[in-house]
Amino acid sequence: MTARKQDITAYFRSLDRRSFMDRHQQDAERDEALPIGYGQTISQPSLVLEMTIALDLEEHHRVLEIGTGSGFQTALLAAFSNEVYTVEKIPQLAESAKERLTAKGFKNISFLLGDGSHGWPEHAPYDRIIVTAAASEIPKELVGQLADRGRILIPVGSQYSQDLLAIDKTSDGKLEKTALEAVRFVPLKGKYEN
């Protein structure tokens, strides 16, 4: 295990998942997705860790997160990158995540209430983009906001079955796609809803 992976894993284990949920559910420690209201879920912890490691974050990276949700994934991103720009469509989730993350002392997170399928073009390009909801196809808007040598992690597929894709943009702008595993996420709201 690399030192970076060890650091991310150690930090992940220190996060209390219950503190990212409005109702401190007894089963919060189970390795499964749980509802957080408004038809959304907090992803299973092992997948959150796996996706964070798969991003291959570096301290200088600027990260775009589509789907703030509870803020659990956001906390991991912010701890291991320079800046995080996170977009959430549901006002109540956006506000509660912002309150939680601010209370935890994060100062490198910018929040946007809006349609994540459009990304956040004002701050592009991003070194890493992570999408925590399933799209019917790879959003070209997000590809356009990815820096050369950047990486996107996104679940793509139907409503009931998706592949978690890692999409790397080469220095000459070509895309290299790798399917990491089969997953099941809630739908990405907006243009690319499945």
Side-chain angles (χ1 to χ4, degrees):
M1 187 183 294
T2 66
R4 190 74 166 161
K5 185 174 176 182
Q6 285 177 329
D7 291 345
I8 291 171
T9 301
Y11 182 75
F12 165 82
R13 288 183 178 144
S14 76
L15 281 179
D16 182 359
R17 187 180 186 218
R18 291 171 299 179
S19 71
F20 291 88
M21 303 165 77
D22 288 333
R23 291 179 292 281
H24 293 270
Q25 300 181 20
Q26 285 185 311
D27 51 0
E29 298 307 311
R30 293 162 100 180
D31 192 30
E32 60 186 48
L34 295 171
I36 56 171
Y38 314 99
Q40 303 302 298
T41 60
I42 183 171
S43 295
Q44 67 190 70
S46 61
L47 186 57
V48 171
L49 176 60
E50 189 178 318
M51 289 176 71
T52 305
I53 291 169
L55 273 178
D56 195 21
L57 293 171
E58 295 182 17
E59 289 178 7
H60 67 275
H61 280 163
R62 301 171 78 246
V63 180
L64 174 64
E65 178 188 40
I66 305 303
T68 314
S70 68
F72 185 57
Q73 177 80 71
T74 318
L76 272 169
L77 299 172
F80 293 94
S81 63
N82 186 39
E83 297 172 278
V84 175
Y85 297 86
T86 186
V87 184
E88 175 56 57
K89 190 172 180 74
I90 299 168
Q92 297 90 334
L93 292 180
E95 187 57 37
S96 59
K98 184 175 184 178
E99 288 173 7
R100 282 186 195 109
L101 292 162
T102 301
K104 289 183 183 299
F106 288 104
K107 298 187 182 338
N108 62 335
I109 304 171
S110 299
F111 300 86
L112 177 67
L113 180 65
D115 183 349
S117 63
H118 300 294
W120 196 343
E122 293 81 1
H123 298 287
Y126 302 98
D127 301 294
R128 298 291 185 264
I129 298 175
I130 184 169
V131 183
T132 59
S136 57
E137 60 185 274
I138 300 164
K140 53 184 173 296
E141 293 87 345
L142 299 184
V143 172
Q145 293 172 37
L146 185 65
D148 288 348
R149 298 187 186 90
R151 171 174 282 190
I152 298 176
L153 275 187
I154 182 172
V156 177
S158 70
Q159 183 177 355
Y160 302 105
S161 173
Q162 307 107 30
D163 286 321
L164 179 60
L165 301 181
I167 303 159
D168 294 297
K169 188 186 267 190
T170 64
S171 56
D172 59 357
K174 292 183 179 152
L175 300 180
E176 298 174 348
K177 300 173 199 165
T178 306
L180 301 180
E181 66 179 287
V183 292
R184 186 168 176 195
F185 279 80
V186 295
L188 177 66
K189 301 293 184 190
K191 182 176 177 182
Y192 297 92
E193 191 166 344
N194 57 21

